[in-house]
Amino acid sequence: MLEKIKEILAEQLDVEICEIKDNSDIQEELGADSLDVMDIMTEIEEEFNIEVEDEIIETLRTPIKIEEYIKTK
């Protein structure tokens, strides 16, 4: 699951997957802006067949946090 999350991030942010660590901050370290974050969350929702509540999105700042959230769904 974590690898798939990293693949989505790499594709959306045009970075190499090897640059993305489990605890890389999506905005601070990978350069995502708010529109990127929304696009990423849309991809995550489609890939894992979940719905991410808007108020939760802000807390999902790293691949590992996204994975932890998905596991609760």
Side-chain angles (χ1 to χ4, degrees):
M1 181 183 307
L2 196 54
E3 281 306 307
K4 186 59 186 174
I5 292 167
K6 289 179 182 181
E7 287 175 24
I8 291 169
L9 292 171
E11 182 180 317
Q12 290 287 328
L13 300 174
D14 198 28
V15 296
E16 294 294 323
I17 197 164
C18 61
E19 295 177 34
I20 303 172
K21 308 292 182 245
D22 293 356
N23 61 352
S24 293
D25 187 290
I26 294 169
Q27 292 179 303
E28 297 294 321
E29 296 175 57
L30 302 178
D33 61 23
S34 57
L35 184 57
D36 292 326
V37 171
M38 294 309 293
D39 290 343
I40 289 164
M41 289 305 145
T42 299
E43 282 288 319
I44 296 287
E45 288 176 331
E46 290 175 9
E47 179 65 32
F48 296 101
N49 197 28
I50 62 168
E51 187 172 326
V52 181
E53 295 84 12
D54 290 343
E55 59 273 8
I56 299 296
I57 291 173
E58 200 173 289
T59 67
L60 304 177
R61 297 185 61 98
T62 66
I64 199 79
K65 289 280 188 198
I66 294 170
E67 181 187 48
E68 289 169 0
Y69 177 79
I70 293 168
K71 286 181 178 179
T72 68
K73 291 296 172 186

